[in-house]
Structure formats: structure tokens, C-alpha cells
Amino acid sequence: MVRKFEMFWPDFNVVVEAILLDEVNPVHCEEFWNALPFKSLFIHSMSAGQMFKVRTPFIASAGGKPVLLPKEPPGTIVTQPLSNQLLITYGNIAEPFRWPIIGRLTSDGLQKLKSIAIELRDAYFFTKEIFITTFRKKEG
């Protein structure tokens, strides 16, 4: 059974759907799943490209099968071992990262994230508006 989760921004009334890649990194996926639901902010990368850093309420365990960003497609979600951070890509990545993959945005989810990415980026760097995101298990 494929597990799905959502990211919800009430300020934009946008729900972004993603799937967990349990078959690739089951331990990291289980850690993430067990932490749901939680709220966080999307912090835009300053120089690495079109991606967000997200703080999580759990510390990811060591190990796991890493993927190489920027070779992975937009919509890739990775976790940093021994950290409480995810990276969620939505476009081109300029700097390399090699972290375990835990999920991918659906194609519709990627388009929805792209539709609010500029506002999220500008909020972080310029306007200092706070847009809280709720990560939650997808029902059904």
C-alpha cells in the first residue's frame, strides 16, 4: 500500500500531495510518518536553487540510501540524516546534496507548490510574512 501525505497552507488554501517511497528508505519514511501531523515553515534556499528547507519534529536516523540532487527531478523530498531537516525541490538545483529520499510530490502537487513558491520565497527573504504549513497523513 502506498502511503500519501499532504502539505496544507491555509493562507493560500493550497494542499500539496506527496507519496512516501517506503521501498527505498523504509526507516526514514517510518520516522517521517510517525511524526505526522506537524506544522512548520518553508525556508527557501539562498543559493542552492529552487528548493525549500523544512524543519521537522524528529531527528532522522543515520544511514539510508541517498540520491544525488540535482540529478533527481523536481518534486523530490529528501531528509538529512542526524538532522531535523527535509529538502523539498520544486525546480532546478545548483548545488549537490546526497541525502536519503523519502518521497515525491505528485505531478499535481508539484504544480501547486510551484504556484505558491514565489510567495513563499518572498515571504522568507523580503516581506517576512509567516505562512505555516501543516504536514498530515492523507485520508483515504
Side-chain angles (χ1 to χ4, degrees), residues 3-7 20 29-39 57-58 86 134-138:
R3 296 192 287 184
K4 296 181 180 181
F5 65 95
E6 300 173 328
M7 293 164 263
L20 278 180
C29 289
E30 192 65 21
E31 290 168 342
F32 174 80
W33 188 256
N34 289 336
L36 297 174
F38 65 87
K39 295 182 180 198
F58 68 95
L86 301 176
T134 300
F135 285 74
R136 62 192 183 197
K137 296 174 183 176
K138 179 163 173 56

Side-chain angles (χ1 to χ4, degrees), residues 45-58:
S45 168
M46 183 173 282
S47 62
Q50 294 174 314
M51 66 177 216
F52 292 99
K53 294 180 266 184
V54 180
R55 298 284 183 211
T56 66
F58 68 95

Side-chain angles (χ1 to χ4, degrees), residues 3-124:
R3 296 192 287 184
K4 296 181 180 181
F5 65 95
E6 300 173 328
M7 293 164 263
F8 172 57
W9 286 267
D11 295 296
F12 302 116
N13 197 28
V14 169
V15 176
V16 171
E17 186 177 298
I19 60 168
L20 278 180
L21 299 177
D22 287 299
E23 68 280 2
V24 180
N25 282 307
V27 171
H28 289 89
C29 289
E30 192 65 21
E31 290 168 342
F32 174 80
W33 188 256
N34 289 336
L36 297 174
F38 65 87
K39 295 182 180 198
S40 194
L41 295 171
F42 270 44
I43 301 167
H44 201 280
S45 168
M46 183 173 282
S47 62
Q50 294 174 314
M51 66 177 216
F52 292 99
K53 294 180 266 184
V54 180
R55 298 284 183 211
T56 66
F58 68 95
I59 303 292
S61 61
K65 181 181 176 188
V67 295
L68 179 62
L69 297 178
K71 291 192 175 192
E72 293 294 310
T76 299
I77 304 168
V78 298
T79 185
Q80 182 181 13
L82 304 178
S83 172
N84 66 332
Q85 180 171 278
L86 301 176
L87 295 183
I88 302 175
T89 67
Y90 68 92
N92 294 325
I93 304 299
E95 295 180 12
F97 294 90
R98 188 178 282 280
W99 291 352
I101 188 170
I102 64 162
R104 284 210 202 282
L105 301 179
T106 63
S107 58
D108 182 59
L110 178 59
Q111 292 311 309
K112 287 180 178 179
L113 181 57
K114 285 181 176 182
S115 76
I116 61 171
I118 291 174
E119 287 180 89
L120 292 172
R121 181 204 63 202
D122 287 353
Y124 181 69

